[in-house]
Amino acid sequence: MSRQRSLEQERAKGAWSKVKEVAKDRDIAEEYAQLAKSAPADIQSNGLGQTLAFWRAKKGGHHKKLGEHVSEWVMNQMNQPGKDLLDWIVNEATTNDYRRATAEAIAFLNWVKRFATAELGGE
Amino acid sequence: MFEAASLLFIYVETPLHAGSGRSLGAVDLPIQRERTTDYPIIQASSIKGRLRDECKNKSGLSNEEHLAIFGPETGNASDHAGALSVGDARILLFPVRSLAGVFAWTTSINALARFLRDASAVGVKLNLELPEEPNPDSALVAGDELKAGDRIVLEEFSFEPVNNGTVNEIGKWLESNALPEGNEYKYWRESLPKKLCILPEDAFRDFVKYATEVQTHIKLDDNTKTVAKNALWTSESLPTDSLLYAPLMATKSRRESIGLSGKDVLQKLAELKITRTRLGGDETTGQGVVALRFYQPSGGDQK
C-alpha cells in the first residue's frame, strides 16, 4: 500500500486542523468563517499581497488568525518555513514565486472556506 | 465527410459568462474550462444554438435551407443531421491589465501552437514560425508600447520584455484576419501588434485562471434594505477584449429538398453578415456581447 497522499488531501488536513483550532475560540469563530468565505475570491480579485496587507490593517482577531494560517501553510509549501508570507512577498519573492504562492493560497483557502462554513456556523 | 471548413473568430465586447454551474472553488459560478489546461472555452452547443437562432428568418436564408444547415426541429430530429458542425471555442488572446498601454493581449507558445494545429485541421495554413518559449520571467513583445521603464508589469507581476520579430508577424496576421472587420475596430486592429505579448506558458495559464472578471452579486432584503441572509455569491466572466476561435465544418446538405454543398453552407453563413451576437448567461444585464468574424480561407485548399 502506498502512503503517498495527494496535495489536496494535505491541504484539507492542514485546513481542518486550523478550523478545529478556531472552533475553540468562540470570540472570533463566526467572523473567521465569514472572512474565510470571501477570502479566495478576494485574492483572485485583489491579489494576494493586497489581501494580506488589508487583513493586517484591519487588526481584527479573525483577520490576524486567518492571515497567520495562510502564511504558515503557504510558506511551508514554498520551502520557507517560519517566514512571514507578506514579508517574503514584499522582500524576496520573484514574480514566479509570487504566482505560485497565490495559487497555493487560493487552493488552501478553498478548503478553509468549506470547513469553516461547516464547523463555525455562518453559511 | 466534411467538404469544407473554416474558422469563426469570437471577440468579446462585454464580459462573457459561459457558465459551468455551481462549483466548490474560489468563485461560486465559474466559467467553462478545459479539464487538462484550465483554459476557458465556450462549449460548441452554445455557439451552434446561437448561430441557429441568429440565422432564423434572416433574408437570404429560406426556412428549408435553415433546416438543412442546422438540422430539423426537435420533433423531427431523427430525419437527418444538419450540415454544419461547430467546435468548442478556444482562447487565443487574453487581455491583462498592464501598467503601460492600459492592457496587453497575452498569449503563449502553447496557446498559439494549438491555434496553428486547429487552423491547419480546417485547412487554414499560416506561414508563421513560432518563437522559442520565453524564460520564466520574460515576455516576448513587438515594440515599446507595453514597457513601463524597462519592465512589463501585468496585474502585479513583472516580466522582462524581449523584442521578437515573430510577435509582430503574428500580430499582423491576427490584425488582418481575426479581429472584426467593422470600421469601429480600426483602433483595435492597429493596436493589436503593439499590445501583443507572448508569455511563458505557465504564466499565461495562471492569468487565464486567476485574472478573469469576478463579479459579486447580492439580494437585498426588502424590509431592511441590507443583504438578505446567505444571498451573496460571486460569478466569473471572460473579460472584455478576449479573442476566441471555433472551427466550423460543413458537409453537403442531407435534406432532400435542398442541394447545398459544404462549401455553399459556409458561404451562406458568411454572407448573412452576422457581425454581433450574444453568448452565455446574464444576457438581460448586458453580458456576453460578442463580435463575430467568419474567416474565409483564400486559395481554398479544401479537403
Side-chain angles (χ1 to χ4, degrees):
Chain A
M1 278 297 287
S2 155
R3 292 290 301 141
Q4 182 93 36
R5 285 162 56 83
S6 83
L7 189 50
E8 278 292 279
Q9 283 175 294
E10 292 301 330
R11 282 176 190 140
K13 184 181 167 192
W16 180 251
S17 75
K18 295 300 181 208
V19 169
K20 277 297 189 202
E21 178 191 314
V22 173
K24 297 192 193 101
D25 188 348
R26 274 292 145 202
D27 293 345
I28 63 165
E30 201 162 321
E31 285 174 313
Y32 180 95
Q34 284 292 343
L35 188 65
K37 193 179 175 216
S38 67
D42 287 346
I43 292 176
Q44 194 161 334
S45 302
N46 307 314
L48 179 59
Q50 286 286 358
T51 307
L52 291 170
F54 174 75
W55 291 348
R56 194 161 294 202
K58 292 297 278 188
K59 295 217 173 21
H62 54 295
H63 294 106
K64 187 161 181 285
K65 195 54 102 183
L66 190 61
E68 281 169 11
H69 290 169
V70 174
S71 175
E72 184 187 329
W73 175 262
V74 174
M75 287 285 70
N76 282 337
Q77 292 303 305
M78 303 296 291
N79 282 331
Q80 307 271 350
K83 285 190 179 162
D84 174 71
L85 176 56
L86 186 56
D87 192 61
W88 176 77
I89 288 172
V90 172
N91 295 309
E92 292 178 54
T94 65
T95 282
N96 242 338
D97 292 337
Y98 185 33
R99 278 202 349 263
R100 270 186 57 210
T102 300
E104 187 58 54
I106 289 175
F108 174 68
L109 280 163
N110 278 335
W111 283 104
V112 175
K113 167 180 163 179
R114 294 291 148 210
F115 291 145
T117 306
E119 299 294 311
L120 310 177
E123 283 295 330
Chain B
M1 262 326 288
F2 295 113
E3 296 176 346
S6 176
L7 286 170
L8 170 65
F9 287 102
I10 299 171
Y11 189 93
V12 177
E13 290 186 335
T14 63
L16 172 74
H17 177 75
S20 62
R22 297 295 304 254
S23 94
L24 301 176
V27 181
D28 297 321
L29 298 172
I31 55 175
Q32 297 161 6
R33 291 178 180 276
E34 252 173 19
R35 171 86 197 201
T36 46
T37 55
D38 258 338
Y39 291 173
I41 56 167
I42 307 170
Q43 280 165 11
S45 58
S46 156
I47 302 167
K48 187 189 164 194
R50 198 65 224 207
L51 285 176
R52 179 184 192 121
D53 198 46
E54 202 67 62
C55 296
K56 210 170 168 66
N57 306 327
K58 270 257 193 307
S59 61
L61 201 68
S62 71
N63 196 40
E64 281 295 303
E65 285 173 330
H66 185 266
L67 294 174
I69 293 174
F70 292 100
E73 298 293 350
T74 313
N76 314 323
S78 56
D79 292 0
H80 64 85
L84 179 71
S85 152
V86 183
D88 291 339
R90 291 174 156 176
I91 192 88
L92 181 57
L93 300 180
F94 186 82
V96 178
R97 187 174 74 228
S98 167
L99 192 57
V102 187
F103 74 90
W105 269 300
T106 66
T107 184
S108 71
I109 304 295
N110 179 285
L112 286 167
R114 286 156 50 106
F115 172 64
L116 292 186
R117 188 179 68 189
D118 293 340
S120 146
V122 295
V124 178
K125 296 274 181 288
L126 289 73
N127 292 325
L128 293 175
E129 283 296 309
L130 290 182
E132 290 281 292
E133 170 76 9
N135 294 330
D137 62 349
S138 56
L140 308 179
V141 289
D144 297 338
E145 178 101 1
L146 298 171
K147 288 181 196 169
D150 57 355
R151 304 287 287 180
I152 292 177
V153 183
L154 303 177
E155 296 256 336
E156 24 180 356
F157 306 99
S158 88
F159 298 89
E160 185 188 343
V162 176
N163 273 319
N164 185 300
T166 321
V167 177
N168 192 46
E169 278 171 48
I170 295 170
K172 286 279 180 215
W173 189 91
L174 292 171
E175 175 189 344
S176 345
N177 295 289
L179 285 202
E181 288 172 285
N183 201 24
E184 76 274 26
Y185 269 91
K186 186 167 178 292
Y187 165 84
W188 306 99
R189 283 193 300 267
E190 287 170 2
S191 303
L192 200 152
K194 294 181 276 186
K195 288 192 197 293
L196 184 61
C197 172
I198 300 180
L199 292 174
E201 51 192 31
D202 287 352
F204 176 71
R205 192 266 325 277
D206 287 351
F207 278 124
V208 301
K209 264 180 89 166
Y210 300 119
T212 48
E213 202 83 58
V214 177
Q215 295 161 335
T216 304
H217 296 267
I218 56 161
K219 174 170 168 271
L220 286 181
D221 180 321
D222 240 2
N223 298 320
T224 60
K225 276 291 176 239
T226 52
V227 183
K229 192 156 173 54
N230 307 333
L232 174 133
W233 69 97
T234 50
S235 155
E236 183 182 31
S237 307
L238 262 183
T240 301
D241 297 313
S242 303
L243 179 72
L244 301 99
Y245 64 93
L248 298 176
M249 285 171 270
T251 63
K252 65 178 190 303
S253 159
R254 297 185 179 93
R255 196 172 177 85
E256 277 174 19
S257 59
I258 295 288
L260 288 173
S261 71
K263 211 169 166 149
D264 296 338
V265 168
L266 294 183
Q267 195 66 34
K268 285 247 171 225
L269 263 191
E271 279 169 6
L272 289 176
K273 293 273 181 273
I274 301 165
T275 50
R276 266 196 187 78
T277 186
R278 308 291 285 262
L279 288 170
D282 298 321
E283 190 180 322
T284 53
T285 46
Q287 299 242 55
V289 180
V290 295
L292 300 179
R293 176 157 181 187
F294 292 86
Y295 176 77
Q296 294 284 20
S298 49
D301 46 345
Q302 306 289 1
K303 295 203 178 47

